[in-house]
């Protein structure tokens, strides 16, 4: 369990004009992220638009990412799906490829906690990999209490939570049981680490991996003031980006930096030209004005 720690970008999935996975930019992005020192990647989650893709395409993404990842980095494959069969198929495929772990949101729908616990139990048993539960109450989690989270984390093969919430007291109580916890809201990574998180998984790591790696290193060295200052710089970027639809804005910035993020999958839409102009203007007057993603690479 100690091996699950550090900085893991929730990898964006480059999508071409036909709505299909584009492996070239994905490899280029991975190269950039690994050079920045990230400890691994988390693929096909919310940021990676996993739930919006077919099982076959998600498998192509996993194949590309695992083939392009050094052996000493972790690849966690989000396998969450509406159908348990699909999730198991994705999980077994990830295991065959040599993924480090799988992760899953609960299936969407009006299910009870018992239903969800059973779903996770069957998934964890069927796949020969550690499983990280994706906890995100903002997307309608059917479990929110500490005892429920502790019960899920005590299930064989379940190692812990990707914890996307602002209640860090709850997070720290689950962490105290020995469960692996990755902080999920990039805005509060420094606070999550202070309260015991083993690392973080997040969207903005795609854009400024160096800052997240530096924050994590400062935090693990006990240099909390330095870590806090890096968080504050990161939050300048997050707060200006959140004025736009998040995932298309991030893909636009990646494209400006020379990595073709491509479009986003339905029901989302790309940025309008006016939005892209406003985003570029906001970046130009920020402390990121000189960053490669701040303007078109022409
Ligand atoms: O992977 C991300 N959460 C979601 C974690 O996509 C729902 C976060 O990185 C957020 O995108 C980020 C901005 O709110 O914290």
């Amino acid at each position: 369990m100690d091996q699950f720690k550090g900085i893991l970008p929730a990898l964006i999935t480059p999508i071409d004009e036909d709505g299909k996975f584009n492996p070239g930019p994905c490899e280029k992005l991975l190269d950039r992220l690994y050079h920045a020192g990230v400890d691994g990647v988390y693929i096909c989650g919310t940021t990676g638009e996993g739930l919006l893709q077919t099982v076959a395409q998600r498998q192509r993404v996993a194949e590309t990412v695992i083939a392009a990842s050094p052996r000493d980095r972790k690849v966690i494959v989000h396998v969450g799906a509406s159908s348990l069969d699909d999730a198991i198929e994705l999980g077994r495929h990830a295991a065959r490829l040599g993924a480090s772990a799988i992760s899953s949101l609960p299936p969407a729908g009006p299910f009870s906690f018992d239903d969800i616990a059973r779903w996770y139990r069957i998934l964890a048993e069927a796949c020969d990999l550690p499983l990280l539960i994706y906890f995100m109450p903002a997307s309608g989690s059917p479990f929110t209490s500490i005892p429920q989270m502790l019960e899920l984390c005590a299930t064989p093969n379940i190692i812990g939570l990707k914890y996307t919430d602002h209640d860090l007291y709850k997070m720290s109580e689950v962490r105290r049981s020995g469960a692996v916890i990755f902080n999920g809201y990039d805005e509060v990574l420094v606070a999550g680490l202070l309260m015991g998180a083993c690392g973080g998984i997040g969207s903005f790591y795609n854009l400024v991996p160096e800052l997240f790696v530096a924050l994590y290193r400062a935090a693990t060295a006990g240099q909390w003031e330095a870590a806090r200052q890096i968080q504050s710089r990161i939050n300048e970027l997050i707060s200006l980006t959140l004025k736009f639809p998040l995932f298309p804005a991030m893909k636009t910035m990646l494209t400006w930096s020379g990595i073709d993020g491509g479009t986003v999958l339905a029901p989302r839409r790309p940025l309008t030209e006016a939005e892209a102009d406003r985003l570029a203007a906001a970046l130009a007057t920020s402390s990121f004005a000189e960053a490669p993603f701040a303007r078109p690479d022409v």
Side-chain angles (χ1 to χ4, degrees):
M1 304 251 278
D2 293 356
Q3 42 165 331
F4 290 102
K5 60 183 184 200
I7 290 300
L8 276 68
L11 199 71
I12 69 113
T13 306
I15 299 287
D16 69 19
E17 284 312 308
D18 298 327
K20 299 287 181 274
F21 170 52
N22 192 356
C26 181
E27 287 161 354
K28 208 166 156 188
L29 175 58
L30 285 167
D31 194 52
R32 182 186 285 176
L33 297 172
Y34 288 131
H35 273 101
V38 305
D39 300 284
V41 287
Y42 182 96
I43 65 168
C44 287
T46 315
T47 306
E49 302 173 271
L51 292 169
L52 308 178
Q53 299 178 58
T54 62
V55 167
Q57 182 162 296
R58 290 168 71 171
Q59 292 178 337
R60 296 297 85 73
V61 177
E63 286 158 12
T64 299
V65 171
I66 291 170
S69 296
R71 292 240 152 259
D72 62 342
R73 314 294 170 106
K74 301 272 169 260
V75 177
I76 303 182
V77 181
H78 177 260
V79 302
S82 297
S83 140
L84 183 53
D85 282 349
D86 285 353
I88 291 173
E89 189 181 336
L90 286 163
R92 289 182 170 163
H93 176 259
R96 284 197 299 278
L97 294 175
S100 314
I102 54 172
S103 179
S104 179
L105 278 164
F111 303 116
S112 68
F113 173 71
D114 282 352
D115 293 337
I116 294 300
R118 184 175 316 108
W119 200 87
Y120 276 122
R121 221 168 24 243
I122 297 169
L123 177 62
E125 208 177 279
C127 304
D128 192 21
L129 278 178
L131 167 60
L132 191 68
I133 288 180
Y134 189 158
F135 174 65
M136 180 165 57
S139 77
S141 175
F143 54 93
T144 50
S145 76
I146 294 170
Q148 285 174 335
M149 288 192 267
L150 291 173
E151 184 183 325
L152 290 175
C153 290
T155 307
N157 280 354
I158 294 184
I159 55 168
L161 308 173
K162 171 188 187 295
Y163 189 93
T164 305
D165 189 34
H166 288 294
D167 188 337
L168 299 177
Y169 165 64
K170 248 185 212 172
M171 185 211 79
S172 69
E173 284 295 287
V174 183
R175 175 72 190 119
R176 216 150 55 76
S177 74
V180 171
I181 305 272
F182 282 96
N183 180 82
Y185 274 137
D186 307 353
E187 297 86 326
V188 294
L189 175 61
V190 70
L193 292 171
L194 184 61
M195 293 298 276
C198 314
I201 293 172
S203 318
F204 280 87
Y205 303 19
N206 285 282
L207 285 175
V208 284
E210 299 81 5
L211 290 181
F212 285 96
V213 168
L215 189 163
Y216 178 74
R217 288 185 184 158
T220 47
Q223 295 161 358
W224 291 106
E225 179 52 24
R228 194 187 63 75
Q229 284 179 24
I230 301 168
Q231 179 76 71
S232 161
R233 176 113 203 281
I234 288 169
N235 288 1
E236 182 194 353
L237 178 63
I238 295 180
S239 110
L240 83 81
T241 308
L242 289 181
K243 298 197 170 79
F244 302 90
L246 173 60
F247 300 112
M250 287 204 326
K251 284 186 161 179
T252 299
M253 288 191 268
L254 276 176
T255 301
W256 288 344
S257 77
I259 294 178
D260 184 8
T263 191
V264 284
L265 294 170
R268 298 201 178 96
R269 62 159 178 87
L271 294 191
T272 62
E273 256 178 62
E275 283 170 335
D277 288 348
R278 278 193 282 120
L279 175 59
L283 286 163
T285 54
S286 77
S287 76
F288 292 91
E290 298 306 318
F293 56 80
R295 62 196 169 279
D297 181 29
V298 283

